[in-house]
Amino acid sequence: PSEPDLVLVSGLFDAIAGLLPGKLKNQAKRVSDWLNRRYWLFWCRKAYTRVRASGDKFDIILATGSPFISFELARKLSRDTAVPFVIDYRDPWIGWGHSAEKERGIMADAAASLTVSPSLVEYLQGFAPDKGKIHLLTNGFDSTLRNELLAGQVANSPDLRNTILYPGRLYPPKIVLTPLLEAIKEFNSRTGSRIRLHYCGPSNEYALSEVRATGTEDLCDVQGSLPRSTTLSMQARAMINCVICGVDIRAEGFRRGILTGKLFDCLSVERPILIIAPENSDVAKMFAGRAGVECVPAKMDRIVEAIGRLRNAKLNAADYEEYSWSKLSHMLDGLLMSILKKDA
């Protein structure tokens, strides 16, 4: 089959898995994952050929996962060209059909491993051959983005002045809208307000099912996926931007609220941020006591109180300069240069 065929059939099996019970769901998911991996194997062969055709004119190899097969590609290129490679975990690799031995082997060969949160650093150090090669490099934001968005056209933008905006994918049961919907309903009941939720993303059908289940049809607008530029423009005008990092208050380790990239998009637009995540998570520690951001667990009273505090709050991106891409790129440049000096 061709590459587009593999993507199409993999997506079909993934969708079917969501409709099936128990063992049938797991079997459909395994087929989807196998087809997805076949696609990335096609991609790897093409990428390897193209890189080698360029004449190997590069000093260092940086591979970002997912897809984690890029780590395997980086190691092969490194072995064939004698150029050091660095692997960058934007997500944990667990659950992607690989062996722990393979992951440890790649980490051992890599000049360094980067990841996005302190708890993921701790997790990787738990089995890394060399703990000193694990480094923290969070996601970041563009501090110049807000002015560009506000200068753009707004003619077709919805009125979001009394709206909590949630863009992105849902991952039931870990990331769902129900606690937020129930809290908005309760907040309006207590205060006589008409706060609304606007959801946009690929999980619109599941979002609609949650809206119906909570009886909040009159308080929620649901859209499908939108272009990133449109979503950012809406975030720049929303009363509050919401990021749900997890609703399971029993989650442990790095599963307690990963520092997702869309969280940093919210910083760039300088609008108040409501984060729903377990207590003592990386994200809760990161934003503790910071202006314009509230991080609370998925408990209705806590979310209601946070909405009240954020309603007229201010957020200044300058207060979060350590997470700007300009700062983070400087840190990455320093790390890569130190690797090159060691390798010289």
Side-chain angles (χ1 to χ4, degrees), residues 112-143:
S113 300
L114 312 175
T115 194
V116 294
S117 69
S119 61
L120 269 174
V121 169
E122 184 178 342
Y123 165 73
L124 293 175
Q125 286 178 336
F127 65 89
D130 184 347
K131 294 178 174 57
K133 293 199 295 185
I134 311 297
H135 302 272
L136 175 65
L137 187 77
T138 68
N139 286 303
F141 72 95
D142 182 352
S143 57

Side-chain angles (χ1 to χ4, degrees), residues 10 31 40 46 146 158 238:
S10 174
V31 172
W40 286 113
K46 285 188 173 181
R146 176 173 166 79

Side-chain angles (χ1 to χ4, degrees), residues 57-78:
K57 297 176 181 178
F58 46 88
D59 301 307
I60 198 164
I61 301 164
L62 176 62
T64 294
S66 58
F68 295 101
I69 200 168
S70 67
F71 291 2
E72 299 175 55
L73 173 61
R75 179 166 65 172
K76 178 169 176 53
L77 283 168
S78 177

Side-chain angles (χ1 to χ4, degrees), residues 164-167 179-181 183-184 195 197 239-245 262-263 266 271-277 283 287 292-297 299-300 302-311 315:
I164 297 173
L165 179 66
Y166 184 89
L180 177 60
L181 290 166
I184 291 174
I195 302 298
L197 173 68
M239 180 185 75
I240 297 171
N241 287 302
C242 182
V243 178
I244 302 175
C245 297
K262 66 183 176 184
L263 171 60
C266 293
R271 298 299 302 149
I273 307 171
L274 169 62
I275 304 170
I276 298 176
V283 67
F287 287 104
V293 181
E294 293 282 339
C295 186
V296 294
K299 297 178 180 179
M300 186 175 67
R302 296 285 300 276
I303 299 173
V304 167
E305 292 167 0
I307 292 172
R309 290 190 293 268
L310 288 172
R311 196 173 184 181
L315 188 151

